[in-house]
PDB file of all heavy atoms in Angstrom:
ATOM      1  N   GLY H  30       4.996  19.774  28.290  1.00 98.00           N
ATOM      2  CA  GLY H  30       5.020  21.126  28.773  1.00 98.00           C
ATOM      3  C   GLY H  30       5.274  22.122  27.640  1.00 98.00           C
ATOM      4  O   GLY H  30       5.897  21.805  26.613  1.00 98.00           O
ATOM      5  N   SER H  31       4.782  23.346  27.821  1.00 98.00           N
ATOM      6  CA  SER H  31       4.970  24.411  26.824  1.00 98.00           C
ATOM      7  C   SER H  31       6.314  25.111  27.112  1.00 98.00           C
ATOM      8  O   SER H  31       6.588  25.461  28.294  1.00 98.00           O
ATOM      9  CB  SER H  31       3.821  25.393  26.877  1.00 98.00           C
ATOM     10  OG  SER H  31       4.173  26.581  26.289  1.00 98.00           O
ATOM     11  N   ASP H  32       7.113  25.332  26.109  1.00 98.00           N
ATOM     12  CA  ASP H  32       8.349  26.130  26.205  1.00 98.00           C
ATOM     13  C   ASP H  32       8.086  27.442  25.519  1.00 98.00           C
ATOM     14  O   ASP H  32       8.085  27.486  24.295  1.00 98.00           O
ATOM     15  CB  ASP H  32       9.533  25.342  25.602  1.00 98.00           C
ATOM     16  CG  ASP H  32      10.745  26.206  25.392  1.00 98.00           C
ATOM     17  OD1 ASP H  32      10.795  27.372  25.909  1.00 98.00           O
ATOM     18  OD2 ASP H  32      11.733  25.725  24.777  1.00 98.00           O
ATOM     19  N   ALA H  37      11.916  23.717  22.794  1.00 98.00           N
ATOM     20  CA  ALA H  37      11.732  22.389  23.356  1.00 98.00           C
ATOM     21  C   ALA H  37      10.241  22.196  23.615  1.00 98.00           C
ATOM     22  O   ALA H  37       9.398  22.952  23.095  1.00 98.00           O
ATOM     23  CB  ALA H  37      12.484  22.233  24.644  1.00 98.00           C
ATOM     24  N   GLY H  38       9.888  21.121  24.333  1.00 98.00           N
ATOM     25  CA  GLY H  38       8.473  20.889  24.736  1.00 98.00           C
ATOM     26  C   GLY H  38       7.543  20.795  23.574  1.00 98.00           C
ATOM     27  O   GLY H  38       7.868  20.407  22.462  1.00 98.00           O
ATOM     28  N   ILE H  39       6.284  21.180  23.884  1.00 98.00           N
ATOM     29  CA  ILE H  39       5.169  21.159  22.912  1.00 98.00           C
ATOM     30  C   ILE H  39       5.570  21.775  21.562  1.00 98.00           C
ATOM     31  O   ILE H  39       5.266  21.247  20.519  1.00 98.00           O
ATOM     32  CB  ILE H  39       3.943  21.899  23.540  1.00 98.00           C
ATOM     33  CG1 ILE H  39       3.341  21.149  24.674  1.00 98.00           C
ATOM     34  CG2 ILE H  39       2.944  22.271  22.428  1.00 98.00           C
ATOM     35  CD1 ILE H  39       2.393  20.048  24.294  1.00 98.00           C
ATOM     36  N   THR H  61       5.861  26.638  30.897  1.00 98.00           N
ATOM     37  CA  THR H  61       7.116  27.150  31.427  1.00 98.00           C
ATOM     38  C   THR H  61       7.432  28.492  30.810  1.00 98.00           C
ATOM     39  O   THR H  61       7.141  28.717  29.619  1.00 98.00           O
ATOM     40  CB  THR H  61       8.349  26.208  31.147  1.00 98.00           C
ATOM     41  OG1 THR H  61       8.675  26.205  29.761  1.00 98.00           O
ATOM     42  CG2 THR H  61       8.066  24.781  31.603  1.00 98.00           C
ATOM     43  N   GLN H  63      10.366  30.259  29.612  1.00 98.00           N
ATOM     44  CA  GLN H  63      11.677  29.713  29.266  1.00 98.00           C
ATOM     45  C   GLN H  63      12.230  30.417  28.008  1.00 98.00           C
ATOM     46  O   GLN H  63      11.437  30.830  27.133  1.00 98.00           O
ATOM     47  CB  GLN H  63      11.476  28.205  28.978  1.00 98.00           C
ATOM     48  CG  GLN H  63      12.686  27.377  28.894  1.00 98.00           C
ATOM     49  CD  GLN H  63      12.459  25.839  28.768  1.00 98.00           C
ATOM     50  OE1 GLN H  63      13.374  25.124  28.501  1.00 98.00           O
ATOM     51  NE2 GLN H  63      11.219  25.354  28.954  1.00 98.00           N
ATOM     52  N   VAL H  68      15.256  28.434  32.360  1.00 97.00           N
ATOM     53  CA  VAL H  68      13.838  28.353  32.773  1.00 97.00           C
ATOM     54  C   VAL H  68      13.598  29.405  33.846  1.00 97.00           C
ATOM     55  O   VAL H  68      14.230  29.331  34.916  1.00 97.00           O
ATOM     56  CB  VAL H  68      13.503  26.962  33.257  1.00 97.00           C
ATOM     57  CG1 VAL H  68      12.016  26.859  33.704  1.00 97.00           C
ATOM     58  CG2 VAL H  68      13.791  25.886  32.165  1.00 97.00           C
ATOM     59  N   MET H  99       7.363  16.432  29.284  1.00 98.00           N
ATOM     60  CA  MET H  99       7.343  16.897  30.672  1.00 98.00           C
ATOM     61  C   MET H  99       5.984  16.609  31.323  1.00 98.00           C
ATOM     62  O   MET H  99       4.992  17.173  30.942  1.00 98.00           O
ATOM     63  CB  MET H  99       7.598  18.432  30.702  1.00 98.00           C
ATOM     64  CG  MET H  99       7.467  19.106  32.040  1.00 98.00           C
ATOM     65  SD  MET H  99       7.595  20.863  31.871  1.00 98.00           S
ATOM     66  CE  MET H  99       7.376  21.356  33.566  1.00 98.00           C
ATOM     67  N   ASP H 124       9.086  10.124  26.514  1.00 98.00           N
ATOM     68  CA  ASP H 124      10.378  10.798  26.716  1.00 98.00           C
ATOM     69  C   ASP H 124      10.405  11.171  28.179  1.00 98.00           C
ATOM     70  O   ASP H 124       9.666  12.081  28.578  1.00 98.00           O
ATOM     71  CB  ASP H 124      10.460  12.000  25.789  1.00 98.00           C
ATOM     72  CG  ASP H 124      11.848  12.640  25.776  1.00 98.00           C
ATOM     73  OD1 ASP H 124      12.756  11.987  26.228  1.00 98.00           O
ATOM     74  OD2 ASP H 124      11.934  13.810  25.395  1.00 98.00           O
ATOM     75  N   VAL H 126      11.322  13.123  30.470  1.00 98.00           N
ATOM     76  CA  VAL H 126      11.906  14.427  30.729  1.00 98.00           C
ATOM     77  C   VAL H 126      12.047  14.672  32.242  1.00 98.00           C
ATOM     78  O   VAL H 126      11.086  14.514  32.996  1.00 98.00           O
ATOM     79  CB  VAL H 126      11.089  15.563  30.095  1.00 98.00           C
ATOM     80  CG1 VAL H 126      11.566  16.924  30.578  1.00 98.00           C
ATOM     81  CG2 VAL H 126      11.091  15.432  28.581  1.00 98.00           C
ATOM     82  N   ILE H 128      15.080  16.993  33.715  1.00 96.00           N
ATOM     83  CA  ILE H 128      15.788  18.230  34.010  1.00 96.00           C
ATOM     84  C   ILE H 128      16.113  18.972  32.719  1.00 96.00           C
ATOM     85  O   ILE H 128      16.614  18.325  31.764  1.00 96.00           O
ATOM     86  CB  ILE H 128      17.131  17.957  34.776  1.00 96.00           C
ATOM     87  CG1 ILE H 128      16.790  17.250  36.077  1.00 96.00           C
ATOM     88  CG2 ILE H 128      17.890  19.219  35.066  1.00 96.00           C
ATOM     89  CD1 ILE H 128      17.999  16.786  36.866  1.00 96.00           C
ATOM     90  N   ALA H 129      15.918  20.280  32.653  1.00 93.00           N
ATOM     91  CA  ALA H 129      16.304  21.041  31.465  1.00 93.00           C
ATOM     92  C   ALA H 129      17.831  21.167  31.454  1.00 93.00           C
ATOM     93  O   ALA H 129      18.470  21.032  32.504  1.00 93.00           O
ATOM     94  CB  ALA H 129      15.642  22.400  31.509  1.00 93.00           C
ATOM     95  N   LYS H 130      18.399  21.396  30.282  1.00 88.00           N
ATOM     96  CA  LYS H 130      19.892  21.448  30.184  1.00 88.00           C
ATOM     97  C   LYS H 130      20.512  22.428  31.174  1.00 88.00           C
ATOM     98  O   LYS H 130      21.611  22.177  31.710  1.00 88.00           O
ATOM     99  CB  LYS H 130      20.321  21.758  28.742  1.00 88.00           C
ATOM    100  CG  LYS H 130      20.316  20.536  27.917  1.00 88.00           C
ATOM    101  CD  LYS H 130      21.265  20.566  26.736  1.00 88.00           C
ATOM    102  CE  LYS H 130      21.178  19.271  25.946  1.00 88.00           C
ATOM    103  NZ  LYS H 130      19.937  19.208  25.083  1.00 88.00           N
ATOM    104  N   LEU H 135      12.139  19.621  35.726  1.00 96.00           N
ATOM    105  CA  LEU H 135      10.884  19.620  34.957  1.00 96.00           C
ATOM    106  C   LEU H 135       9.977  18.435  35.423  1.00 96.00           C
ATOM    107  O   LEU H 135       8.924  18.225  34.925  1.00 96.00           O
ATOM    108  CB  LEU H 135      11.144  19.510  33.462  1.00 96.00           C
ATOM    109  CG  LEU H 135      12.016  20.666  32.909  1.00 96.00           C
ATOM    110  CD1 LEU H 135      12.325  20.401  31.419  1.00 96.00           C
ATOM    111  CD2 LEU H 135      11.319  22.019  33.046  1.00 96.00           C
ATOM    112  N   ASN H 158      17.770   9.992  28.002  1.00 97.00           N
ATOM    113  CA  ASN H 158      19.190  10.309  27.806  1.00 97.00           C
ATOM    114  C   ASN H 158      19.949   9.543  28.938  1.00 97.00           C
ATOM    115  O   ASN H 158      19.310   8.856  29.750  1.00 97.00           O
ATOM    116  CB  ASN H 158      19.443  11.829  27.829  1.00 97.00           C
ATOM    117  CG  ASN H 158      19.058  12.496  29.097  1.00 97.00           C
ATOM    118  OD1 ASN H 158      19.011  11.866  30.172  1.00 97.00           O
ATOM    119  ND2 ASN H 158      18.707  13.795  29.094  1.00 97.00           N
ATOM    120  N   GLU H 161      18.897  10.305  32.597  1.00 97.00           N
ATOM    121  CA  GLU H 161      17.552   9.848  32.894  1.00 97.00           C
ATOM    122  C   GLU H 161      17.564   8.308  33.069  1.00 97.00           C
ATOM    123  O   GLU H 161      16.878   7.771  33.954  1.00 97.00           O
ATOM    124  CB  GLU H 161      16.577  10.240  31.772  1.00 97.00           C
ATOM    125  CG  GLU H 161      16.290  11.768  31.764  1.00 97.00           C
ATOM    126  CD  GLU H 161      15.778  12.283  30.439  1.00 97.00           C
ATOM    127  OE1 GLU H 161      15.731  11.537  29.420  1.00 97.00           O
ATOM    128  OE2 GLU H 161      15.433  13.478  30.402  1.00 97.00           O
ATOM    129  N   THR H 226      21.931  23.442  21.458  1.00 96.00           N
ATOM    130  CA  THR H 226      21.309  22.073  21.443  1.00 96.00           C
ATOM    131  C   THR H 226      20.046  22.056  22.312  1.00 96.00           C
ATOM    132  O   THR H 226      19.614  21.033  22.785  1.00 96.00           O
ATOM    133  CB  THR H 226      22.336  21.014  21.975  1.00 96.00           C
ATOM    134  OG1 THR H 226      22.759  21.449  23.270  1.00 96.00           O
ATOM    135  CG2 THR H 226      23.475  20.802  21.035  1.00 96.00           C
ATOM    136  N   HIS H 227      19.475  23.226  22.512  1.00 97.00           N
ATOM    137  CA  HIS H 227      18.239  23.280  23.314  1.00 97.00           C
ATOM    138  C   HIS H 227      17.109  22.509  22.586  1.00 97.00           C
ATOM    139  O   HIS H 227      16.788  22.844  21.440  1.00 97.00           O
ATOM    140  CB  HIS H 227      17.883  24.701  23.595  1.00 97.00           C
ATOM    141  CG  HIS H 227      16.561  24.873  24.275  1.00 97.00           C
ATOM    142  ND1 HIS H 227      16.238  24.206  25.433  1.00 97.00           N
ATOM    143  CD2 HIS H 227      15.463  25.651  23.973  1.00 97.00           C
ATOM    144  CE1 HIS H 227      15.020  24.520  25.849  1.00 97.00           C
ATOM    145  NE2 HIS H 227      14.508  25.373  24.980  1.00 97.00           N
ATOM    146  N   GLY H 228      16.537  21.520  23.221  1.00 98.00           N
ATOM    147  CA  GLY H 228      15.407  20.802  22.654  1.00 98.00           C
ATOM    148  C   GLY H 228      15.751  19.640  21.820  1.00 98.00           C
ATOM    149  O   GLY H 228      14.842  19.071  21.143  1.00 98.00           O
ATOM    150  N   THR H 229      17.008  19.204  21.887  1.00 98.00           N
ATOM    151  CA  THR H 229      17.389  18.045  21.005  1.00 98.00           C
ATOM    152  C   THR H 229      16.596  16.770  21.386  1.00 98.00           C
ATOM    153  O   THR H 229      16.160  16.049  20.482  1.00 98.00           O
ATOM    154  CB  THR H 229      18.904  17.721  21.156  1.00 98.00           C
ATOM    155  OG1 THR H 229      19.241  17.720  22.537  1.00 98.00           O
ATOM    156  CG2 THR H 229      19.748  18.710  20.405  1.00 98.00           C
ATOM    157  N   GLY H 230      16.429  16.553  22.682  1.00 98.00           N
ATOM    158  CA  GLY H 230      15.755  15.320  23.099  1.00 98.00           C
ATOM    159  C   GLY H 230      14.293  15.332  22.659  1.00 98.00           C
ATOM    160  O   GLY H 230      13.805  14.279  22.159  1.00 98.00           O
ATOM    161  N   CYS H 231      13.612  16.464  22.843  1.00 98.00           N
ATOM    162  CA  CYS H 231      12.213  16.530  22.484  1.00 98.00           C
ATOM    163  C   CYS H 231      12.057  16.345  20.964  1.00 98.00           C
ATOM    164  O   CYS H 231      11.200  15.558  20.519  1.00 98.00           O
ATOM    165  CB  CYS H 231      11.631  17.875  22.830  1.00 98.00           C
ATOM    166  SG  CYS H 231      11.690  18.322  24.554  1.00 98.00           S
ATOM    167  N   THR H 232      12.916  16.987  20.227  1.00 98.00           N
ATOM    168  CA  THR H 232      12.805  16.922  18.750  1.00 98.00           C
ATOM    169  C   THR H 232      13.093  15.517  18.254  1.00 98.00           C
ATOM    170  O   THR H 232      12.339  15.025  17.356  1.00 98.00           O
ATOM    171  CB  THR H 232      13.863  17.934  18.154  1.00 98.00           C
ATOM    172  OG1 THR H 232      13.548  19.228  18.685  1.00 98.00           O
ATOM    173  CG2 THR H 232      13.808  17.961  16.630  1.00 98.00           C
TER     174      THR H 232
HETATM  175  C1  LIG C   2       8.709  22.353  28.409  1.00 78.50           C
HETATM  176  C2  LIG C   2       9.982  21.606  28.299  1.00 78.50           C
HETATM  177  N1  LIG C   2       9.956  20.299  28.055  1.00 78.50           N
HETATM  178  C3  LIG C   2      11.128  19.593  27.922  1.00 78.50           C
HETATM  179  C4  LIG C   2      12.332  20.207  28.006  1.00 78.50           C
HETATM  180  C5  LIG C   2      13.614  19.433  27.916  1.00 78.50           C
HETATM  181  O1  LIG C   2      13.868  19.342  26.617  1.00 78.50           O
HETATM  182  P1  LIG C   2      15.162  18.682  25.953  1.00 78.50           P
HETATM  183  O2  LIG C   2      14.808  18.261  24.599  1.00 78.50           O
HETATM  184  O3  LIG C   2      15.670  17.572  26.904  1.00 78.50           O
HETATM  185  O4  LIG C   2      16.147  19.845  25.870  1.00 78.50           O
HETATM  186  P2  LIG C   2      16.961  20.615  26.913  1.00 78.50           P
HETATM  187  O5  LIG C   2      16.174  21.260  28.005  1.00 78.50           O
HETATM  188  O6  LIG C   2      17.855  19.568  27.438  1.00 78.50           O
HETATM  189  O7  LIG C   2      17.663  21.654  26.089  1.00 78.50           O
HETATM  190  C6  LIG C   2      12.333  21.615  28.227  1.00 78.50           C
HETATM  191  N2  LIG C   2      13.465  22.277  28.327  1.00 78.50           N
HETATM  192  N3  LIG C   2      11.138  22.280  28.370  1.00 78.50           N
END
Side-chain angles (χ1 to χ4, degrees):
S31 162
D32 167 7
I39 289 279
T61 69
Q63 193 174 171
V68 178
M99 172 187 180
D124 188 17
V126 170
I128 300 175
K130 277 206 181 78
L135 301 175
N158 61 26
E161 288 158 355
T226 56
H227 174 51
T229 47
C231 300
T232 302

